[in-house]
Amino acid sequence: MRILLYLFCFVIFVSCKNENFKSKDLKFSFLNKYAKNIRFIKRPTYTEVQILNPDKNSIEKKYALAKDISNLKIKIDVIPIQIPLKSIIALSGTDIGMLQKISCADKITGILNIDYINNSTIKRNFSKNKVKEVQDLGQINPESLLGVSSTITYSGFGNPPSNEEKLAKIGILCIPNYDWKEIHPMGKAEWIKFYGLLFDKEEQANTYFSKIEKEYLKLIKLAKKIKEKPSLISGSMIGDSWYMPAGESFNAELFEKASSNYVSKNSKGTGSTAYSFENVLKDFQHTEFWINPGFKSKKELLQANSKYQFFDAFKEDKIYCYSHDMNHFWEMSAIEPQKVLSDLIQILHPNLNPKKKLYFYKRIN
């Protein structure tokens, strides 16, 4: 235990040294347990949030969050943000789910497309012209956002938006979001702490996260007791290849924790692994369950590829997906990983609790 403590302190020291932190100015506290693409550092007069680019393995943005930013002493590469924010343009569905959980869905004043929104508060405010549809970030006319909000969150893709400087000149801040690049399910959910800080709902965000963490860990403990591990395939054909989540990915983590024998568990990487249809049919035809093919019905599956009918999971009606209510899934699944895990356990091991209903998933029939 003492060795682990020394090792932890050494890592903290090296991290501080690499970032040129001055210990006398720093109340040092990384608040995240699982997320790898965001850091929270408590300083004497503000909270520093570092957003990391997972593809470049480097810090992409640094923000200083404080209720009074007028006299902050910060480095030139740190962007001040006065909190709480009054409003936000949320261009990622996961932002919406997280803001809902801290009672801030009404702070959303801009979205990408109302057709892909499930949240009732946003729909209601959109009908009252309180929420505006905006273009994709790279195509936005900066002047069109005046009066909508001074802050935009968007899915980061490694490079800043082409018009970020123009937006900054008129006082609009762009914040990249890499929650979708997190590998651990609880890592995705941990981004709620950032939104809690932005809207001065830190305690509410931390309380919610602790609650779902307990539920998630309880489910893992339950699934560990299950001796039988049914085989499972995932994905479907896109173009000439069948793409399945790679063995080190977010979905593979969930499949493993749900006590399944995932056929692609040994593949490398955190993205997707491509297979030819012939190889999938040859090697995985008799797999028991098929998760996330991306279709709403078996009819749609056959229209896409008539050879899907040869899989045992197709014949035995053991195909499950969230496609019947996709908007709801994309908004809420990242912030409710315990419900996704619960669904997978229930699907794979229905005898554990025969009367339990699924949250996100539905049998495709």
Side-chain angles (χ1 to χ4, degrees):
M1 181 64 71
R2 184 173 294 178
I3 292 174
L4 290 176
L5 181 60
Y6 289 159
L7 180 60
F8 175 76
C9 291
F10 175 74
V11 171
I12 293 296
F13 171 76
V14 172
S15 299
C16 291
K17 187 175 180 181
N18 288 343
E19 289 300 323
N20 295 318
F21 292 146
K22 294 180 180 178
S23 58
K24 66 179 182 179
D25 299 327
L26 179 65
K27 286 184 179 178
F28 192 85
S29 177
F30 281 102
L31 304 180
N32 48 317
K33 291 184 178 181
Y34 304 93
K36 302 296 184 184
N37 302 328
I38 191 166
R39 296 173 183 162
F40 308 98
I41 304 169
K42 287 290 186 180
R43 296 183 182 273
T45 57
Y46 63 92
T47 299
E48 181 173 324
V49 177
Q50 299 176 352
I51 295 181
L52 287 75
N53 183 321
D55 296 323
K56 298 179 180 179
N57 196 29
S58 61
I59 297 172
E60 184 170 320
K61 297 286 186 180
K62 297 178 185 178
Y63 302 102
L65 279 58
K67 292 184 178 181
D68 182 4
I69 62 173
S70 57
N71 295 311
L72 283 184
K73 294 180 179 179
I74 55 178
K75 295 180 181 179
I76 193 169
D77 63 338
V78 180
I79 302 169
I81 300 178
Q82 185 160 323
I83 58 171
L85 295 182
K86 295 180 179 179
S87 64
I88 196 167
I89 297 171
L91 300 185
S92 172
T94 55
D95 298 347
I96 294 170
M98 293 183 188
L99 289 166
Q100 178 180 323
K101 290 298 182 182
I102 57 171
S103 306
C104 287
D106 61 326
K107 303 296 184 183
I108 298 172
T109 53
I111 45 97
L112 199 58
N113 190 326
I114 194 64
D115 292 337
Y116 298 106
I117 298 298
N118 179 73
N119 187 277
S120 58
T121 299
I122 296 175
K123 286 181 175 180
R124 182 174 63 251
N125 287 341
F126 181 80
S127 68
K128 296 178 180 180
N129 296 318
K130 294 181 179 180
V131 174
K132 182 178 180 179
E133 284 184 321
V134 302
Q135 290 178 298
D136 186 66
L137 190 54
Q139 302 171 349
I140 286 176
N141 174 14
E143 283 72 22
S144 69
L145 298 183
L146 291 173
V148 180
S149 180
S150 60
T151 308
I152 300 173
T153 57
Y154 67 96
S155 295
F157 284 94
N159 295 307
S162 57
N163 54 0
E164 183 176 24
E165 290 187 11
K166 291 181 180 179
L167 288 164
K169 286 180 181 178
I170 60 173
I172 297 176
L173 178 66
C174 298
I175 301 177
N177 180 335
Y178 286 104
D179 70 345
W180 61 285
K181 281 279 193 175
E182 296 289 350
I183 298 170
H184 198 291
M186 290 303 300
K188 274 193 175 187
E190 198 158 22
W191 279 69
I192 194 174
K193 295 178 180 179
F194 184 31
Y195 296 94
L197 289 167
L198 288 173
F199 287 91
D200 199 20
K201 295 287 187 78
E202 184 176 3
E203 183 176 352
Q204 188 172 340
N206 289 338
T207 298
Y208 175 80
F209 183 80
S210 296
K211 173 180 175 290
I212 65 170
E213 181 188 27
K214 289 178 183 177
E215 293 174 10
Y216 186 85
L217 295 175
K218 185 177 179 181
L219 286 167
I220 289 177
K221 189 175 181 180
L222 172 67
K224 279 184 177 179
K225 297 178 181 179
I226 302 169
K227 294 181 180 180
E228 295 183 6
K229 293 187 176 184
S231 55
L232 178 158
I233 59 172
S234 185
S236 60
M237 293 294 293
I238 300 176
D240 296 327
S241 298
W242 185 310
Y243 290 94
M244 294 192 202
E248 299 167 310
S249 68
F250 165 83
N251 279 299
E253 168 75 12
L254 285 167
F255 297 155
E256 190 268 328
K257 289 297 186 288
S259 195
S260 75
N261 182 18
Y262 176 46
V263 299
S264 193
K265 64 183 178 182
N266 294 324
S267 61
K268 300 298 182 182
T270 59
S272 297
T273 301
Y275 297 85
S276 69
F277 183 87
E278 289 74 17
N279 283 343
V280 175
L281 185 61
K282 175 179 174 290
D283 297 334
F284 311 132
Q285 179 181 0
H286 301 300
T287 304
E288 295 171 75
F289 288 89
W290 185 357
I291 304 293
N292 298 340
F295 292 89
K296 295 180 182 179
S297 68
K298 292 173 76 174
K299 181 180 179 181
E300 288 184 359
L301 275 168
L302 291 177
Q303 287 174 343
N305 191 325
S306 62
K307 294 180 181 179
Y308 286 145
Q309 65 182 303
F310 298 124
F311 288 90
D312 285 2
F314 186 96
K315 297 174 184 177
E316 298 172 13
D317 290 326
K318 290 186 177 181
I319 311 174
Y320 291 83
C321 197
Y322 49 80
S323 47
H324 64 285
D325 198 357
M326 201 167 289
N327 291 346
H328 174 59
F329 182 82
W330 291 125
E331 284 182 10
M332 303 307 301
S333 61
I335 196 56
E336 294 180 326
Q338 83 284 10
K339 291 185 177 180
V340 180
L341 180 58
S342 174
D343 276 2
L344 291 173
I345 293 173
Q346 184 65 16
I347 289 166
L348 297 165
H349 312 284
N351 293 330
L352 276 178
N353 190 351
K355 295 183 180 180
K356 189 171 186 179
K357 295 182 179 180
L358 299 176
Y359 295 105
F360 292 114
Y361 280 81
K362 187 175 181 180
R363 187 199 298 268
I364 291 176
N365 53 35

